[in-house]
Amino acid sequence: MRILSGIQPSGPLHIGNYLGAIRQYIALQRENEAFYFVADYHALTSVRDAETLRRYVFDVFVDLVALGLDPDRAVLFVQSDVPQTTELAWLLSTVTPMSWLEKCVSYKDKVQQGIPADHGLFAYPALQAADILLYDAQLVPVGQDQKQHLEITRDIAERYNHVYGNTFRLPEPYILPSVAVVPGLDGRKMSKSYANTIEIFDPPATIRKKCKRIVTDSTPVEAPKNPDTCPVYRLFALFAAAPERAEVERRYREGGIGYGEVKTRLAELIIDCFVEARVRRDELAANPDRIAELRRAGAERAAATAAAVLEKARAACGVGPR
Ligand code: ADP
Ligand code: TRP
């Protein structure tokens, strides 16, 4: 099965991104022909500084490889290294009714968060449709928040096929089973936009410090506590093995466990979970030439598919031949 997904380099990856998406992308590369890319054209709608964007693209690329995305197995590339994407986005735009983009929840949310309502942000779903259709993707694994974008992708592909004859394969969404929404330090959903994240590659001392800051109520140590509503326990449960999880849950319900003890243990579990990835990450980050080579090789493999699909789309609508 040909699968594809994109990750926006709009900041360092956090453990919500890992548990909610990246871990599953890594698992999917085993049984499928996987295409994964760092969506820098998309990130331009929110990152407005060249140095920052370059750093984020490098960091996300390195993080993904360190976490286990295997560039020999999956095609791992940077979106803008395959410029056919923007040409296809234009062709698709010409068959995309304004009303489809106007109803996008993600656009409305971002404008409400204060991101400028420019044309790029508005046309974001047409660019995303180009990403998906350009690689003939059959299955697109994404979080629930991207469901509407995938529906629009299918609608755009159907419309192009209807107007110009059969050109694109219709992709199926694969909404990742949500492990649970990973809570952040303040108890809300962990998200860059709430500044409540634990980054995967935060230094261990920072992880320990952040765990201490997770919000709790003032229930005394001896009193029973509800694990289900406690962000410390909810995070702990995502990292602890079953026997330890059950033991801590029991002590929450019976009373006799303090939040401080669980926070200390949680920090060690998070650090341990990424200990090997951290070593790999340090090695990779110290070798930018190797990263540049992986990036070039990924782009070359991606472009081979992209060029063929773009030619078909151009021929269908009457652009070219060159
Ligand atoms: P952020 O909210 O930090 O900007 P993104 O929207 O870029 O994160 O998320 C990228 C992917 O990570 C999405 O597929 C999303 O479903 C997943 N993800 C992000 N935050 C969480 C979370 N707190 N819990 C579970 N999954 C998450
Ligand atoms: N919009 C997606 C997000 O914010 C990232 C993305 C860009 C993407 N292009 C894609 C995801 C194509 C899947 C397929 O998470």
Side-chain angles (χ1 to χ4, degrees):
M1 186 83 89
R2 165 88 51 97
I3 60 169
L4 168 138
S5 199
I7 299 137
Q8 274 204 71
S10 45
L13 296 175
H14 55 73
I15 60 180
N17 299 140
Y18 179 72
L19 296 173
I22 294 161
R23 186 172 61 172
Q24 308 183 63
Y25 296 161
I26 292 169
L28 285 166
Q29 74 184 349
R30 263 180 238 122
E31 309 277 318
N32 298 281
E33 186 191 1
F35 283 63
Y36 292 121
F37 64 92
V38 181
D40 58 343
Y41 282 149
H42 277 114
L44 275 175
T45 59
S46 59
V47 181
R48 286 290 156 84
D49 176 72
E51 259 323 295
T52 308
L53 184 62
R54 262 182 227 117
R55 191 176 69 246
Y56 286 168
V57 169
F58 181 85
D59 282 349
V60 169
F61 195 95
V62 171
D63 285 0
L64 292 174
V65 178
L67 290 166
L69 265 192
D70 178 354
D72 288 332
R73 210 181 264 267
V75 181
L76 175 62
F77 63 103
V78 175
Q79 185 184 31
S80 66
D81 288 345
V82 186
Q84 284 93 338
T85 316
T86 48
E87 182 172 351
L88 183 60
W90 178 256
L91 302 188
L92 299 178
S93 289
T94 63
V95 300
T96 305
M98 291 284 282
S99 60
W100 294 0
L101 302 175
E102 277 161 358
K103 71 178 185 200
C104 274
V105 177
S106 155
Y107 170 74
K108 291 186 229 168
D109 280 355
K110 287 179 180 167
V111 172
Q112 212 163 30
Q113 281 170 29
I115 297 180
D118 50 34
H119 175 257
L121 192 69
F122 187 65
Y124 185 114
L127 178 61
Q128 185 159 345
D131 291 330
I132 296 169
L133 301 177
L134 195 56
Y135 300 99
D136 244 346
Q138 286 167 284
L139 204 62
V140 184
V142 284
Q144 177 68 31
D145 59 321
Q146 294 298 313
K147 188 162 176 265
Q148 192 181 32
H149 287 162
L150 296 194
E151 285 162 5
I152 291 182
T153 297
R154 281 178 64 94
D155 290 346
I156 294 175
E158 268 180 328
R159 183 134 184 178
Y160 203 95
N161 288 350
H162 177 73
V163 174
Y164 293 120
N166 200 21
T167 309
F168 298 117
R169 165 145 68 187
L170 296 192
E172 296 292 334
Y174 168 45
I175 305 302
L176 294 170
S178 52
V179 252
V181 170
V182 178
L185 304 181
D186 57 1
R188 290 188 290 175
K189 175 187 177 213
M190 185 175 289
S191 170
K192 280 182 296 274
S193 35
Y194 298 146
N196 64 356
T197 62
I198 299 174
E199 292 162 21
I200 301 170
F201 294 111
D202 265 337
T206 308
I207 295 181
R208 292 192 184 98
K209 226 184 290 163
K210 285 185 174 176
C211 285
K212 289 211 179 84
R213 273 177 37 212
I214 301 170
V215 288
T216 51
D217 55 27
S218 50
T219 317
V221 174
E222 328 71 68
K225 302 173 185 64
N226 183 355
D228 306 329
T229 54
C230 174
V232 181
Y233 179 81
R234 284 168 57 213
L235 279 165
F236 171 84
L238 293 167
F239 287 90
E244 187 179 8
R245 196 163 63 225
E247 170 67 6
V248 169
E249 183 183 356
R250 184 186 62 73
R251 291 176 64 208
Y252 257 74
R253 297 198 191 279
E254 288 175 2
I257 193 166
Y259 294 125
E261 177 188 335
V262 190
K263 287 178 175 181
T264 305
R265 180 70 186 129
L266 169 63
E268 296 319 308
L269 286 170
I270 296 174
I271 294 165
D272 282 356
C273 176
F274 299 112
V275 88
E276 285 156 26
R278 193 182 294 279
V279 172
R280 276 199 299 273
R281 195 193 187 288
D282 289 345
E283 281 167 13
L284 287 163
N287 194 348
D289 289 348
R290 163 107 181 102
I291 298 302
E293 174 51 27
L294 288 177
R295 182 171 163 171
R296 199 196 49 71
E300 207 171 277
R301 287 168 72 195
T305 301
V309 175
L310 181 64
E311 273 321 306
K312 206 165 151 197
R314 284 166 53 101
C317 71
V319 169
R322 289 178 217 272

